[in-house]
Each structure stands twice: as C-alpha cells, then as structure tokens.
Amino acid sequence: MRQHDYLDDAVDLLRRLIATPSTSRNEGAAADLMERQMTAYGLSPQRHGNNLWALSPQWDDSKPTLLLNAHIDTVKPAASWTRDPFTPTLEGDRLYGLGSNDCGGGLTTLLQVFRWLTLRAQPYNIVYLASCEEEVSGQQGISSVLPLLPPIDVAIVGEPTGMQPAIAERGLMVLDVIAHGKSGHAARNEGVNAIYEALDDMQWIRDYRFEKTSPLLGPVKMTLTVVNAGTQHNVVPDLCTMLVDVRTNECYTNEEVFDIIQSHLKSEVKAHSFRLHSSHIAPDHPLVKRCVALGLTPFGSPTLSDQALMPWPSLKLGPGESSRSHTADEFICLSEMERAIAVYQQLLDGASW
C-alpha cells in the first residue's frame, strides 16, 4: 500500500466511528465496527467485552513487546454543539465529529501503523489494543483486559498531544471529607455546627502545599470542589460533606498522599479509589530518546488516561490537541493524522529498548 492509502483508510474508519455513537459503557456498536474492520484488514482480533486487540503475526516470546493503545469511547456531547456530533463533516482540513480528536485520530492512525509495522521484521512484538470505558475509568475497560494480554514492556497511548510525547501524567484521587456535628435549634445556643467543624479543614485543603514537586507535572494539586450541609435555615447542621479533587504527581503514590491528608484533617476522609496513579516513563528510555532525536519535545500532561492503569512504562503520543477534547464542535485535522502516521513510523520502525 502507498503511504496515502493508510491515511485514507484511517479517515474512512474514523468517519464511520463518528457516525456510530459510543459514549462510555455504550460502545458495543463501535466495537463491532472495529472488529469487522480489523478482520477485513486480515488481522485476527480478540475481544473481551467491548475491548479488542490483535497481536503481530510473527510473535516471538524472546522479544520485548510494545503496546499501541487508544480508546473507542467518547464523552456525551455538550449541549452547545452547532453541528450534529454524530455526523462526520469535513470542512477543508478539519473533520468534525464527537470523538474525532479524543481519541479517534489516535485510535485509527495507530491501527494503520500496526498494519504497516507488522509487514516488516521488527526487533519487538506488537499488541494493538482498542479499549473501552476510558472516559469513566470503568472496570470493564482496559483494567479488565490487562490479565489477558501477553507481558508488555512499554506502551504508547494515542491520546491527543499534538504529536509531542507526554512522558508523565497526573494521577487522580477523589476524596469524601465528612465533618460531623450535632443538630440543634438555630435560635438557641445548642448543637455543634458541622459547617464550623469543617472550616479549618477547608482552609487546610486550600492552603497546604505538598513538599515534593515534579519537574514535569509540578506540585500535587488539591481542590475542594463540592460542599453540602444543612436541611433548613433554623436547624444547626449535624453533617457537612465535601468532595476533594486530588491530582497527584509521580513523586507520590495515591496512598501516600491520602495518608498525608488524613493525618492533617479533623474530618473523616474516604477515598473513592486509589487505582488511578500518576504515570511516567524515564527521560532516558530509548523510546523517549528516539522522540527527542526526531525533534519532539517531552512534557508532562495534566489530563488522565488509561496510562494510569498500566503497570509498565508508557507515554502519550497522538494527533490532535488536548484543548479540543470534551468540547463542542470537536475536530481533528487530516494533516494531523497524516503527520501522526509518519511520526509513528519513523519512531517505531526498527526501534529497540
């Protein structure tokens, strides 16, 4: 196939994916489409739920293994779309449609690169994985597939990064913070106001600075985002509940950050989950060094992806821009997809680590 044929195939597949609604936990039709297309390409896809993967045909257990991953699900369309989000619309270089940028461009170009790479002898094995439920970090997404994959040595995640390598990514931990008081009549000097009990904790959450700062991601970021208390004006509230959004850097595990927070707060603290850790790959990893040799610039990403669930080194590298993700009138440029295919080929053909 000619180089342009791979781009044409990627664009055609992306248009059909846009026209197939695939919001998180509702990806069945898109997974069916991907399975049919991968089979039509001569691949032998395996499927678990709405996750699909294929292995390079000349598999050799003595070689290291590269994972190429992107997700098939999308967020729900924002109300401010001025176009039909499920109708792919090409205007000049821009292809509009829900999921075009996040991350249909990476999903479809990585599939074409997988096809291209597996036609050539490589010093490594390749797994291509199209995963589901990424936007909600769902239990039936990539975490359900990891035990079914062969051992992975390194991964590239096709999230939109402007084809610059994100070699570190913030983790996420959501906390319930619960202050307890005692109800009473507001007209009398009785009860213990749970809101007042929470005030010192709110101030600490606002002002505290974690000691370790990442050169790529900066400090751990902690934000009080939701506060609920009280039932009516004349009742002293006996409960004040808060939600805290914590974005961790690679200097801490989520558990370590939780322990620090819990030790400083008077209120009860509960974590929704510890599973979404910050992720990173060493700046001197051979893939990162190859990126730099190609003129690409490593950076740290503030946004979460399936990287958080990968126990091996990984980097994000994909067409499109993160600033377009989850926005109305989302688009990707065909020129970005074309460049992505070329960069992936240059980066990965003959690579070793």
Side-chain angles (χ1 to χ4, degrees), residues 40 63 66 108 142 189 219 233 236 268 289 298 309 314 322 325 327:
K63 294 180 178 180
L66 167 71
T108 56
I142 194 170
N189 187 24
H233 77 90
V236 173
E268 180 183 2
K289 293 170 77 171
L309 299 168
S314 59
S322 181
S325 300
T327 62

Side-chain angles (χ1 to χ4, degrees), residues 324-339:
R324 296 182 208 143
S325 300
H326 305 182
T327 62
D329 297 334
E330 178 185 352
F331 69 88
I332 194 165
C333 298
L334 303 195
S335 58
E336 293 172 328
M337 295 175 66
E338 183 176 29
R339 177 172 178 262

Side-chain angles (χ1 to χ4, degrees), residues 59-256:
W59 193 272
D60 183 344
D61 286 336
S62 67
K63 294 180 178 180
T65 299
L66 167 71
L67 174 68
L68 303 177
N69 166 245
H71 63 88
I72 65 175
D73 62 314
T74 72
V75 296
K76 295 178 181 179
S80 51
W81 272 81
T82 64
R83 301 168 169 81
D84 180 354
F86 302 112
T87 298
T89 306
L90 186 61
E91 297 181 9
D93 190 37
R94 295 183 175 185
L95 177 60
Y96 289 90
L98 183 64
S100 56
N101 181 79
D102 184 15
C103 68
L107 179 74
T108 56
T109 55
L110 280 175
L111 178 56
Q112 304 310 317
V113 170
F114 175 83
R115 296 172 66 197
W116 185 85
L117 287 171
T118 54
L119 292 176
R120 293 152 176 77
Q122 301 294 342
Y124 54 87
N125 302 309
I126 315 172
V127 179
Y128 171 81
L129 170 63
S131 51
C132 68
E133 295 192 9
E134 187 273 345
E135 296 290 2
V136 293
S137 301
Q139 295 285 351
Q140 299 307 310
I142 194 170
S143 59
S144 72
V145 179
L146 297 187
L148 307 178
L149 299 180
I152 305 295
D153 293 277
V154 67
I156 292 177
V157 180
E159 292 283 338
T161 66
M163 287 309 290
Q164 302 296 330
I167 65 171
E169 175 187 85
R170 285 191 178 275
L172 169 65
M173 184 170 53
V174 179
L175 302 179
D176 290 315
V177 178
I178 306 161
H180 296 276
K182 183 179 179 181
S183 62
H185 199 297
R188 294 190 292 268
N189 187 24
E190 62 184 27
V192 177
N193 194 317
I195 297 174
Y196 298 161
E197 293 294 297
L199 288 178
D200 286 345
D201 288 346
M202 292 183 189
Q203 184 173 356
W204 183 87
I205 291 167
R206 183 192 66 184
D207 296 340
Y208 184 76
R209 299 294 180 264
F210 288 85
E211 180 181 350
K212 299 176 186 177
T213 297
S214 163
L216 288 164
L217 298 173
V220 172
K221 189 174 186 298
M222 180 169 52
T223 308
L224 178 63
T225 53
V226 178
V227 177
N228 287 298
T231 56
Q232 60 189 62
H233 77 90
N234 57 354
V235 178
V236 173
D238 59 1
L239 193 69
C240 179
T241 62
M242 297 160 272
L243 276 180
V244 180
D245 179 288
V246 184
R247 303 287 170 155
T248 49
N249 61 27
E250 79 279 15
C251 302
Y252 298 91
T253 66
N254 286 344
E255 290 85 351
E256 289 171 335

